[in-house]
Amino acid sequence: TTRMASTFNNKKTVIFGASSGIGAAVAKRFAALGAEVIVHYNGNKAGAESVVQAIKDSGGKAHLLAGDVSQAEVAERLVNEAAAKLGRLDIVINNAGNMFGRTAISKATDEQYHNVIDLNIGGVFFACRRAAAILQEQKSGTIINTTSVAARTGGGDGAGLYGAAKGFVSTITRVLAKELAPFGVRVNAVAPGVIETDFHRKNSTPEQLAGAIKGIPLGRLGTSEECVGAFEFLADESMSGYITGQVIEVNGGQLMP
């Protein structure tokens, strides 16, 4: 099948946290549009390999990249490896995140604190720090961070530590948008609501999800595929060239800021 001419043709893309869920769906879509995609994972090798295989099977270009972005030196190396492999970086998506269980702040352990902060804040900060330097030098490219509805609501049922960390992600998105704008680089974020992914299969009970649906005007959970359009829109400068420092909420109306 011939591809439609696309602004994504040969766009060099790295997606951190792309082995399942939203990251995997974004990787497949961008590759289908003609982007060359690096699929990053940390723990879920089988998931990442199946994403790369699915992309290659449908005629797209994809590569695997493994490592723990929550460690500063690893994150820097991964961004460098991605840039070296692709020749440049057009689109950097920071989607690696996890809740590490639900707990009230008063009951949170030191271990949970470090897990949540290291990955959800550290992973984004370390990857952005290195990517920002590269994009600045290129004078081109765009960064899209994955935040969460919990960044604005404080989360529910023990998701507060995660929500607070995502508040950092939303804010550093605005910081980077200001810092990188003079170099022609845009930085935005997507804030998913309650999306049916492994993330919730691990962290949420059926009762919690049923409760969440009651507060969602569209009356159902979202899918990973339904988040993809926001990333595509933000990555495509022909559509969003004058948009930077924004958070797009994809939540079925659960929160209308």
Side-chain angles (χ1 to χ4, degrees):
T1 57
T2 54
R3 284 212 176 82
M4 283 170 52
S6 157
T7 47
F8 283 81
N9 272 352
N10 222 15
K11 275 283 160 79
K12 310 299 189 184
T13 304
V14 57
I15 305 173
F16 290 103
S19 61
S20 68
I22 294 168
V26 171
K28 289 173 186 170
R29 173 64 178 163
F30 279 30
L33 290 168
E36 184 175 356
V37 178
I38 288 185
V39 174
H40 162 269
Y41 72 95
N42 184 28
N44 182 9
K45 187 179 186 191
E49 283 176 339
S50 76
V51 173
V52 167
Q53 199 53 54
I55 290 171
K56 287 182 171 168
D57 288 347
S58 58
K61 285 184 282 197
H63 316 276
L64 272 182
L65 185 64
D68 183 357
V69 285
S70 73
Q71 296 178 41
E73 65 287 354
V74 178
E76 181 166 356
R77 175 173 60 73
L78 292 173
V79 175
N80 287 339
E81 277 178 24
K85 179 105 183 148
L86 297 170
R88 66 175 190 277
L89 293 177
D90 295 316
I91 301 164
V92 178
I93 295 176
N94 290 301
N95 181 66
N98 201 341
M99 198 181 283
F100 298 100
R102 292 173 179 268
T103 178
I105 297 297
S106 62
K107 304 277 196 304
T109 64
D110 289 2
E111 186 190 16
Q112 274 172 313
Y113 167 81
H114 287 295
N115 282 339
V116 171
I117 301 304
D118 289 353
L119 179 57
N120 297 287
I121 290 183
V124 173
F125 174 76
F126 298 133
C128 278
R129 178 171 64 180
R130 184 63 196 124
I134 291 173
L135 300 186
Q136 212 166 294
E137 207 171 301
Q138 289 179 174
K139 292 195 166 44
S140 71
T142 191
I143 296 174
I144 306 170
N145 296 321
T146 303
T147 177
S148 167
V149 64
R152 293 192 201 256
T153 63
D157 283 343
L161 194 51
Y162 172 79
K166 288 299 194 179
F168 174 97
V169 175
S170 296
T171 298
I172 201 171
T173 298
R174 300 179 188 110
V175 173
L176 284 162
K178 289 182 177 180
E179 291 181 356
L180 297 181
F183 302 92
V185 174
R186 300 180 304 111
V187 187
N188 294 287
V190 177
V194 190
I195 310 298
E196 281 187 89
T197 60
D198 286 345
F199 177 93
H200 280 295
R201 282 188 273 280
K202 287 187 196 113
N203 291 300
S204 306
T205 64
E207 294 73 32
Q208 282 169 327
L209 294 177
I213 290 171
K214 289 196 179 78
I216 298 172
L218 285 183
R220 60 180 180 80
L221 303 182
T223 67
S224 293
E225 287 67 31
E226 287 175 313
C227 296
V228 170
F231 287 91
E232 185 181 326
F233 168 71
L234 290 172
D236 185 345
E237 63 274 13
S238 75
M239 289 198 277
S240 57
Y242 195 56
I243 296 177
T244 195
Q246 305 303 314
V247 174
I248 296 188
E249 310 282 337
V250 184
N251 62 37
Q254 182 186 9
L255 177 75
M256 303 183 187

